[in-house]
Amino acid sequence: MTHSVAFQLADEAATVAMGNRLASLIEQGAVIYLHGDLGAGKTTLTRGIVQGLGHQGKVKSPTYTLVEPYQLACHSIFHFDLYRLGDPEELEYMGIRDYFSPQAICVVEWPEKGGEFIPTPDLDITLSYQGDARRILINSLSERGNIITTALNSA
């Protein structure tokens, strides 16, 4: 059974805070898909997740490199941005499957461009504009995802 939760995010700080909240609920690895128009807050949410897991530096969008790795004491985090991907098969050449271990946290922007080369996510997140604010819809697609969405819903 899947769960869905939705929240209003008033501004960039609220988006980062939601990422921090998600990070606090990830007990092991996770695959997180991020959907939304350009500028909807996908990288901002990712910054909140990565910093919430302990990263101290900048979090930049890997638009040109496809993946930005963050090796932390307790976590391996991989931030993918597939926006400029020409063909999903390119992912096979870069060894995409090696990134998705059960312990890794993989955040994927523009996952629809990855085709069958990326695994089904634990969380499928859509960010959308609501005037000056954003709406975040979080769908769980696995038992890991259900645990996270249930905790978000009860907080």
Side-chain angles (χ1 to χ4, degrees):
M1 180 168 169
T2 63
H3 296 115
S4 295
V5 292
F7 301 95
Q8 291 297 117
L9 304 172
D11 53 22
E12 182 177 341
T15 305
V16 171
M18 176 57 74
N20 286 180
R21 208 165 145 202
L22 285 168
S24 74
L25 298 171
I26 298 172
E27 295 182 6
Q28 51 185 331
V31 176
I32 302 169
Y33 282 7
L34 298 181
H35 304 276
D37 293 334
L38 288 171
K42 297 179 297 295
T43 299
T44 302
L45 182 69
T46 302
R47 180 173 7 121
I49 294 169
V50 173
Q51 290 175 341
L53 290 166
H55 178 69
Q56 298 296 316
K58 285 189 157 206
V59 175
K60 61 184 188 235
S61 178
T63 302
Y64 294 100
T65 58
L66 291 183
V67 63
E68 189 68 39
Y70 300 92
Q71 295 298 326
L72 306 177
C74 298
H75 300 285
S76 293
I77 307 165
F78 302 102
H79 177 199
F80 297 90
D81 184 337
L82 305 183
Y83 182 71
R84 298 196 182 282
L85 189 67
D87 182 332
E89 207 164 281
E90 292 174 39
L91 296 173
E92 190 67 29
Y93 301 129
M94 70 175 270
I96 190 81
R97 296 176 204 277
D98 296 338
Y99 292 98
F100 290 92
S101 72
Q103 297 78 30
I105 298 166
C106 295
V107 181
V108 185
E109 296 186 38
W110 304 97
E112 58 277 8
K113 295 184 173 262
E116 74 275 4
F117 293 97
I118 54 177
T120 302
D122 297 297
L123 297 174
D124 192 58
I125 299 175
T126 301
L127 290 146
S128 57
Y129 296 101
Q130 297 255 279
D132 290 337
R134 301 285 186 271
R135 179 176 188 268
I136 185 169
L137 174 63
I138 305 170
N139 294 302
S140 66
L141 299 176
S142 72
E143 188 54 40
R144 280 184 188 178
N146 286 343
I147 292 166
I148 293 168
T149 54
T150 299
L152 283 171
N153 213 20
S154 64

